[in-house]
Amino acid sequence: MFEFKARPVRLGTGFVLALVSVLVLALPGTSSGQLPGASVTVCQVTGSASAPDFLEVQVSVDEVAAYLNQFPGSYVGSCPSPGSGGTGGGNLPLTGAVTVCRVSGSASAPILSEVLVAVDQVAVYLNQNPGSFVGACPASGGVGNAGGSTGGSGPLNAVVTVCRVTGNVNAPDIVQLTLNVDQVVAFLNQNPGSFIGTCPGQGGTVTQGPGRILGIPLGAALTICQVTANAKVLQFLQVNVVIDRVAAFLNQNPGSFVGLCPSSSDPNGTLGNEPVGYVTICRVTGDIGNPLAAITIRLRELSVYLTRAGTVVPGPTGGCPRTQTTPGGGSGPPSTTPPGQTTTVVVQTTPNTVVTATGAGVKASTKSNTKGKAKLKVKAKRAGIITVRGEGGRVVKRLGVVWTKRSGANLTG
Amino acid sequence: MPLNNSTTQRLRTAASVFAVACLIGLVAALAPAGSSAARGTSYPKAGVILWTKVAAHSRPSRSSPTLMVFPQFRKDFRPTTLLVLGERKDAKGLRWLKLSMPMRPNGRIGWVEAAAVQLRPVRRSIVIDLSSRKLRIVERGKTRFGTRVAIGRRGMETPTGNFYLTATFRPTERFLGVFAFETSAYSKLSEWPGGGVVGLHGTSMPWLLGQAVSHGCIRMSNAAALVLKRLTRAGTPLRIVA
């Protein structure tokens, strides 16, 4: 019944898609260098200290600004890969750190310095230091590697290729620029959505007539979460901004971001893009049903939260995961065992921690090995549920103790 | 008659072209299904719950009404099994799974957050034809097993529609035979103890098979019930047609 229909539908869909692709490719005047069809490679940087995550994605050029806004720390270019480097120029995730060119200073005294940043703090670091980028700094006569930035005659006179993404409903545009490095910080601050690297196409100016920008239709407004902060509290206000004023608004309200604010019904909101000095993370709650919760904290408090295994930094844009995927595993799929029979339960948890199993007449404990693996032998005395807990009392596994034989009185027969 | 060199060459070329064309055709025919399966997008699938409990909503949205709350374990401590018919993303990019709901009225659809469920593929399904009173186990379009069954009598007709097996057990009642299956279907008898769940089970009265004699359940021979035990499990789709 179910599976019979799936195959012809998929074949049909594939055929239609192929036909559409052929027709689109055959259309005159459509080339990879023009909006809205062009795309660029973006390295999406997320994850945590224990699970850094690099994902190379293709993003439509008219959505690059929105994408980078949603994923702070991500950048235009290829991701680093073990052993081969990449545009990002690191050896991730093997080393756990990435080279970042910190760009600061002023026109009269520009400062370029290469720093090593732990991968789980790259996003935060780039948020803190606008204009800085993943990759080596432009060197004297050399070539920088942040998506096409080029070196000049030394740090003082080096130039960087920047793709300016601006526009409004009537004239969205993408322009290739070359800037002195000491102007980059100010420029990127003034032009949110612009990025270091070459624009799609052959370089130079790629301008598009009336059309979309940031994936929003003509005349539309963007939902923005206006974030203000003082020493004690963060305040969020949901506002709608006409699209051609978005850049100015974000410039006027640092820390604000495109997306939904956290609310009582959806406490996670759209995470990321916190005010300078703050970071939103998913903290470990210890609650089985809701193991992670979003919280925005001062950066200097971060180290305290990182001591708890499973903390996700920064919090993902779509909200905190409902299960823990970092070491500690979260509650795995349920399984069953009959009463009176010895069963070996294997769980993955934090290394060198005490693991306990309780319920259904069972009381057992052991210690996980250096890789976090723990084996427990349990023999249930009665039907019920055995709960296996790891570090901090967090549930890592549940087993139902089930009699195979039972009454079928609930069946109509 | 011996062939000259040019004829042999032409035959070889024609054979090569034919082979390549066949290969391309084969790849084209297999690619969509294969790639889709690799992405794990073919449904239905069975699933178990990873959270302590998960709410099923009427629409793929947290703000929509809650139809019911599934616990990770049932009252008999067996894991709650779900049948997933499809998936969708909401405006925030959150993945939702479309479920066949084990509740009244029959045929109801619900949605749960995908993160709460671990999925596994299902290869076999059960098809019951009430008019011919036959049960079949179908795998990849082919019948793996068939048997004669007894169905609900007049006024207590076995419901038709798409359902699934929710649990399996050895019944303590001799009347239910050697093995029984709970389904997500509900009988017309709403006042039955336990809610009136339609079951598939063996029987202690095999001479009634092939007749409409039950209260809505599907009865089969004990031998057939044991075959079902071997070939199916909780989460197997069940289709009952008139």
Side-chain angles (χ1 to χ4, degrees):
Chain A
M1 47 174 180
F2 299 100
E3 54 263 58
F4 305 152
K5 294 178 182 173
R7 189 179 164 86
V9 170
R10 272 188 262 124
L11 275 173
T13 310
F15 177 73
V16 171
L17 282 175
L19 189 62
V20 170
S21 304
V22 169
L23 289 174
V24 168
L25 287 173
L27 283 175
T30 306
S31 75
S32 62
Q34 293 182 335
L35 288 172
S39 64
V40 292
T41 300
V42 171
C43 181
Q44 179 185 322
V45 186
T46 56
S48 67
S50 47
D53 194 10
F54 286 74
L55 179 65
E56 208 163 281
V57 292
Q58 292 292 320
V59 179
S60 172
V61 289
D62 56 346
E63 290 175 349
V64 166
Y67 194 91
L68 294 180
N69 206 23
Q70 292 288 318
F71 295 93
S74 303
Y75 58 88
V76 175
S78 59
C79 290
S81 59
S84 65
T87 311
N91 289 312
L92 290 169
L94 294 177
T95 62
V98 66
T99 301
V100 171
C101 180
R102 180 169 182 243
V103 185
S104 59
S106 64
S108 55
I111 302 168
L112 291 183
S113 55
E114 271 182 26
V115 292
L116 272 176
V117 180
V119 287
D120 61 327
Q121 292 177 6
V122 168
V124 175
Y125 190 89
L126 294 180
N127 225 8
Q128 292 282 310
N129 299 275
S132 302
F133 55 90
V134 176
C137 291
S140 177
V143 177
N145 62 359
S149 52
T150 55
S153 59
L156 286 176
N157 298 314
V159 292
V160 176
T161 301
V162 174
C163 181
R164 189 187 74 176
V165 184
T166 58
N168 57 43
V169 285
N170 295 317
D173 63 3
I174 292 182
V175 180
Q176 192 78 63
L177 299 171
T178 303
L179 298 177
N180 285 327
V181 288
D182 58 341
Q183 296 173 328
V184 170
V185 177
F187 184 87
L188 293 180
N189 254 345
Q190 292 286 319
N191 298 274
S194 302
F195 55 90
I196 296 175
T198 50
C199 289
Q202 303 301 314
T205 303
V206 183
T207 305
Q208 180 76 6
R212 299 189 316 151
I213 184 170
L214 305 179
I216 307 296
L218 284 171
L222 277 182
T223 298
I224 290 180
C225 181
Q226 183 182 357
V227 183
T228 53
N230 58 34
K232 289 183 179 174
V233 68
L234 278 174
Q235 289 183 325
F236 303 97
L237 180 64
Q238 198 78 63
V239 294
N240 285 322
V241 179
V242 178
I243 193 163
D244 55 348
R245 293 181 182 273
V246 167
F249 186 90
L250 292 178
N251 209 24
Q252 294 283 320
N253 299 274
S256 301
F257 57 90
V258 177
L260 299 174
C261 291
S263 65
S264 55
S265 62
D266 183 8
N268 292 332
T270 306
L271 302 180
N273 298 293
E274 303 81 3
V276 170
Y278 291 81
V279 61
T280 301
I281 64 170
C282 297
R283 71 178 179 86
V284 177
T285 63
D287 178 13
I288 308 164
N290 197 18
L292 295 166
I295 182 173
T296 300
I297 58 168
R298 287 172 178 275
L299 256 182
R300 63 170 178 261
E301 297 168 348
L302 185 59
S303 58
V304 177
Y305 285 88
L306 286 177
T307 57
R308 189 82 186 263
T311 305
V312 179
V313 181
T317 311
C320 289
R322 297 299 298 265
T323 54
Q324 286 178 284
T325 53
T326 46
S331 176
S335 54
T336 57
T337 181
Q341 185 175 311
T342 303
T343 306
T344 304
V345 183
V346 182
V347 294
Q348 187 69 32
T349 181
T350 314
N352 301 314
T353 55
V354 175
V355 178
T356 61
T358 53
V362 170
K363 268 191 179 179
S365 67
T366 187
K367 194 174 179 183
S368 61
N369 65 16
T370 52
K371 292 180 180 174
K373 194 173 181 179
K375 281 186 185 178
L376 278 162
K377 283 192 175 177
V378 295
K379 187 176 179 181
K381 293 176 182 170
R382 57 176 180 270
I385 293 173
I386 299 174
T387 305
V388 182
R389 296 176 187 273
E391 185 205 19
R394 196 164 52 76
V395 175
V396 290
K397 181 86 177 167
R398 298 177 89 206
L399 288 94
V401 182
V402 176
W403 292 108
T404 315
K405 197 165 185 173
R406 73 160 172 85
S407 166
N410 61 329
L411 304 183
T412 50
Chain B
M1 186 181 76
L3 298 172
N4 61 30
N5 277 348
S6 74
T7 308
T8 309
Q9 187 64 35
R10 262 183 266 134
L11 279 173
R12 276 185 190 155
T13 309
S16 304
V17 169
F18 179 72
V20 169
C22 287
L23 193 63
I24 291 171
L26 188 65
V27 168
L30 293 177
S35 59
S36 178
R39 287 194 301 268
T41 53
S42 68
Y43 287 97
K45 287 179 178 171
V48 289
I49 298 169
L50 296 173
W51 302 350
T52 313
K53 55 189 176 184
V54 60
H57 296 267
S58 59
R59 282 179 283 114
S61 161
R62 284 179 185 169
S63 57
S64 67
T66 300
L67 295 178
M68 68 183 289
V69 176
F70 288 107
Q72 188 177 28
F73 289 92
R74 295 152 40 106
K75 283 180 181 172
D76 61 0
F77 308 116
R78 286 169 170 76
T80 301
T81 306
L82 308 173
L83 181 67
V84 180
L85 305 174
E87 67 172 73
R88 189 189 290 179
K89 278 188 180 176
D90 67 11
K92 292 180 185 172
L94 197 65
R95 270 180 70 226
W96 290 82
L97 298 176
K98 181 183 178 183
L99 301 183
S100 169
M101 295 294 289
M103 65 186 292
R104 291 180 188 274
N106 286 325
R108 195 145 192 185
I109 294 297
W111 297 84
V112 295
E113 290 181 44
V117 181
Q118 185 177 73
L119 297 174
R120 62 172 167 80
V122 290
R123 290 184 298 144
R124 298 174 185 139
S125 59
I126 301 170
V127 181
I128 295 170
D129 188 334
L130 296 181
S131 59
S132 63
R133 292 166 194 173
K134 290 274 175 63
L135 177 150
R136 290 185 301 134
I137 297 178
V138 179
E139 183 175 357
R140 295 193 183 101
K142 291 182 180 173
T143 301
R144 279 285 304 267
F145 172 75
T147 188
R148 200 163 50 123
V149 294
I151 61 171
R153 62 176 176 251
R154 194 169 180 184
M156 306 173 191
E157 292 88 352
T158 303
T160 58
N162 292 323
F163 310 102
Y164 68 100
L165 304 185
T166 53
T168 65
F169 62 98
R170 261 192 321 131
T172 51
E173 297 83 355
R174 189 169 167 271
F175 168 74
L176 296 175
V178 296
F179 208 77
F181 304 82
E182 265 185 43
T183 75
S184 62
Y186 279 80
S187 154
K188 278 188 171 182
L189 301 172
S190 60
E191 300 309 310
W192 196 271
V197 174
V198 171
L200 269 61
H201 55 80
T203 181
S204 57
M205 295 176 280
W207 55 89
L208 294 177
L209 294 178
Q211 301 179 44
V213 292
S214 78
H215 297 91
C217 279
I218 305 290
R219 300 179 194 173
M220 67 195 80
S221 68
N222 287 332
L226 291 175
V227 173
L228 240 68
K229 177 192 173 193
R230 185 167 53 83
L231 294 180
T232 65
R233 57 195 284 200
T236 300
L238 165 68
R239 187 183 182 198
I240 304 176
V241 295

